Amino acid sequence: MAEHRTMQRDALLDAARSLLSEGGTEALTFPALAERTGLARSSVYEYFRSRAAVVEELCAVDFPLWAAEIEGAMQRADTPEGKVEAYVRHQLGLVGDQRHRAVVAISASELDAGAREKIRAAHGGLIAMIVEALADLDHAQPRLAAVLLQGIVDVAVRRIEAATTESPSAIADAAVAMALTGVRG
């Protein structure tokens, strides 16, 4: 029975990711979740009390996986510069991933304080990963530099998602060049 509930919860989360990546937070409704999973709407409420609860669960499940992928890419780099490059490139490489599109939709939405705090904490975890590499580069203000570096990544993500005339790889190359030039001071 517990395994069946886990499968249904996972199916609901997969449906939520799809809805968010296809139509943003407006598309994430309990009737849509019920339709996507074949569950009765009342069954959806057995798993989640609100849309915010769905979002919180997605954050709790997806952010750690995403952060672990980025951290793994950074650990494989041999130099502090390589770690900065891996941090930028790996985040930008996730842009096409459905989990990432869902996260972007979540981040852009009006959420309750609890969900927003979970997102902030997860982003804080990403920032903490890069602070050490910046300190290894002898940056005078590694924490400030990390926050600004994440700003470069966030803008590059939006640029890739906007499907501009530049290719995703050209955007990633420019973001990496700006990041490395900027963190060297």
Side-chain angles (χ1 to χ4, degrees):
M1 189 66 165
E3 186 177 324
H4 181 69
R5 285 191 60 79
T6 301
M7 286 174 52
Q8 286 186 332
R9 184 179 208 85
D10 290 347
L12 286 164
L13 291 175
D14 284 342
R17 282 182 201 99
S18 295
L19 290 165
L20 284 165
S21 67
E22 292 163 14
T25 49
E26 303 78 38
L28 181 60
T29 64
F30 279 28
L33 283 170
E35 184 180 326
R36 287 277 170 112
T37 57
L39 294 171
R41 193 183 322 180
S42 60
S43 295
V44 177
Y45 282 99
E46 289 177 29
Y47 292 91
F48 301 106
R49 68 192 180 291
S50 64
R51 285 179 358 144
V54 176
V55 166
E56 286 182 39
E57 183 74 12
L58 280 174
C59 291
V61 170
D62 289 349
F63 268 91
L65 295 174
W66 192 27
E69 290 174 21
I70 295 164
E71 189 172 25
M74 289 176 66
Q75 287 173 346
R76 289 187 295 277
D78 297 332
T79 64
E81 290 90 350
K83 289 181 188 314
V84 170
E85 180 168 355
Y87 178 82
V88 173
R89 284 197 189 280
H90 206 79
Q91 285 190 69
L92 298 181
L94 290 171
V95 171
D97 185 288
Q98 189 181 68
R99 287 174 304 153
H100 181 268
R101 286 198 306 270
V103 164
V104 169
I106 289 166
S107 299
S109 69
E110 293 301 313
L111 298 172
D112 69 23
R116 210 176 346 274
E117 187 49 43
K118 277 191 170 61
I119 290 170
R120 243 193 311 279
H123 275 285
L126 283 178
I127 298 295
M129 280 189 259
I130 196 65
V131 170
E132 186 179 341
L134 295 171
D136 290 344
L137 284 168
D138 294 325
H139 199 285
Q141 296 179 292
R143 186 156 301 281
L144 175 60
V147 172
L148 296 175
L149 174 60
Q150 187 60 44
I152 290 171
V153 172
D154 293 344
V155 169
V157 164
R158 286 197 294 280
R159 191 82 183 162
I160 290 169
E161 288 176 336
T164 60
T165 54
E166 304 98 353
S167 70
S169 64
I171 294 168
D173 290 346
V176 167
M178 289 186 77
L180 289 175
T181 301
V183 298
R184 286 186 192 116

